């Protein structure tokens, strides 16, 4: 099949409520990188006006960060059949990238510094608690090595090297993982809680991270993994993406590693 016969539908969770710190860039990156290869792309908002069928219709899901108040509004809406549709999608391997406030909502609960606990969807086995306004937020650059085994393996196959991600974190909540696998281990920054060295989570094909930045323009191979995984699942056939010229992103990553004085044990992505 030639690329024009494929269509990738991106589901964007609550764009007006959950797009802090430029997370919209993740949607744009997936969209453009798929279009540059000739695939048809549609972006669908999944919000208060959407139905469970709208959620079921998408091929890849993007959820950004949010303030505590917005998270509460989202959780009041993402109930019942919509919550079930979301669970079904992720359990069945629909790929997605969920940043900061979104993974908190995919976990069991989020306890804000002020106010009541917000119950999550319980899809990811994790809990997040904000220790209160007297505690420092976790803010700053973030570098991780992806350690989630299948994802690390697939990214290594795509890039030929160890997958390191760069990003920027800004969160008050601290996340503790249950049985879910961490996305990676922290090389620079604080990650899930500043204590156990874990960052994010990986479940089926859902990538959860504290990394804004936004994540994907800085780490374009992750966008490619999402596109490839989504198209393989949808069309049930091998899909291999053509290479794109990413030297600018690679230079940006190298500059960050240098600025943070991060000495990587193996070379970061070359292009
Ligand atoms: N409200 C959450 C926290 O501070 C999420 C913030 C965010 O998404 N950047 O932990």
């Amino acid at each position: 099949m030639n690329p024009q016969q494929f269509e990738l539908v991106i589901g964007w969770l609550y764009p007006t409520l959950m797009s802090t710190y430029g997370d919209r860039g993740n949607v744009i990156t997936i969209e453009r990188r798929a279009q540059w290869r000739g695939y048809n792309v549609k972006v669908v908002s999944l919000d208060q006006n959407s139905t469970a069928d709208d959620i079921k219709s998408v091929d890849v899901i993007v959820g950004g960060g949010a303030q505590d108040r917005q998270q509460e509004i989202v959780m009041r809406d993402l109930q019942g059949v919509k919550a079930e549709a979301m669970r079904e999608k992720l359990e069945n391997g629909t790929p997605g990238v969920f940043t900061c406030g979104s993974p908190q909502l995919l976990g069991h609960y989020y306890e804000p510094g002020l106010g009541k606990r917000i119950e999550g969807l319980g899809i990811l086995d994790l809990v997040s608690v904000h220790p209160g306004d007297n505690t420092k937020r976790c803010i700053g650059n973030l570098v991780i090595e992806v350690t989630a085994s299948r994802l690390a393996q697939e990214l290594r196959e795509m890039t030929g090297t160890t997958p390191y991600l760069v990003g920027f974190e800004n969160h008050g909540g601290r996340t503790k993982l249950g049985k879910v696998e961490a996305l990676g281990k922290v090389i620079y920054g604080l990650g899930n809680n500043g204590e156990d060295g874990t960052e994010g989570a990986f479940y089926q094909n859902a990538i959860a991270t504290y990394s804004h930045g936004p994540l994907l323009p800085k780490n374009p191979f992750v966008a490619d993994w999402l596109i490839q995984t989504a198209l393989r699942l949808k069309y049930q056939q091998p899909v291999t993406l053509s290479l794109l010229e990413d030297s600018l992103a690679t230079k940006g990553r190298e500059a960050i590693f240098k600025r943070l004085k991060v000495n990587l044990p193996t070379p970061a992505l070359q292009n």
Side-chain angles (χ1 to χ4, degrees), residues 20-21 65-68 71 100-101 104 110 137 170-173 212:
T20 46
Y21 313 119
Q67 307 302 326
D68 293 3
Q71 282 180 233
C100 202
Q104 293 176 348
Y110 170 61
R137 289 179 73 78
N170 186 348
H171 53 107
H212 299 280

Side-chain angles (χ1 to χ4, degrees), residues 121-265:
L121 297 179
I123 300 171
L124 302 179
D125 188 11
L126 55 85
V127 298
S128 306
V129 176
H130 191 306
D133 284 347
N134 296 331
T135 322
K136 263 186 149 178
R137 289 179 73 78
C138 303
I139 304 179
N141 288 303
L142 186 61
V143 177
I144 71 161
E145 177 185 336
V146 175
T147 53
S149 50
R150 181 169 50 82
L151 180 64
Q153 173 64 30
E154 291 180 13
L155 292 177
R156 223 177 283 123
E157 277 162 20
M158 287 177 76
T159 64
T161 187
T162 308
Y164 298 105
L165 307 184
V166 297
F168 184 85
E169 60 186 325
N170 186 348
H171 53 107
R174 269 64 168 177
T175 294
K176 290 270 164 72
L177 304 180
K179 290 198 182 70
V180 69
E181 202 177 7
L183 172 65
K185 66 172 185 212
V186 175
I187 292 182
Y188 186 99
L190 294 163
N192 282 337
N193 49 55
E195 287 170 9
D196 64 13
T198 65
E199 207 297 292
F202 182 65
Y203 180 66
Q204 305 295 33
N205 285 317
I207 295 174
T209 180
Y210 268 120
S211 204
H212 299 280
L215 181 78
L216 299 181
K218 290 185 173 178
N219 308 280
F221 51 95
V222 179
D224 290 353
W225 179 86
L226 290 164
I227 296 168
Q228 188 167 286
T229 305
L231 292 176
R232 283 180 181 174
L233 186 71
K234 180 172 188 177
Y235 293 99
Q236 295 291 311
Q237 58 176 277
V239 174
T240 304
L241 299 184
S242 54
L243 284 179
L244 294 176
E245 208 283 306
D246 280 332
S247 55
L248 211 53
T250 303
K251 267 197 198 136
R253 290 160 53 77
E254 277 163 1
I256 282 288
F257 295 138
K258 209 159 147 195
R259 175 154 24 117
L260 302 180
K261 299 189 173 51
V262 170
N263 284 320
L264 300 175

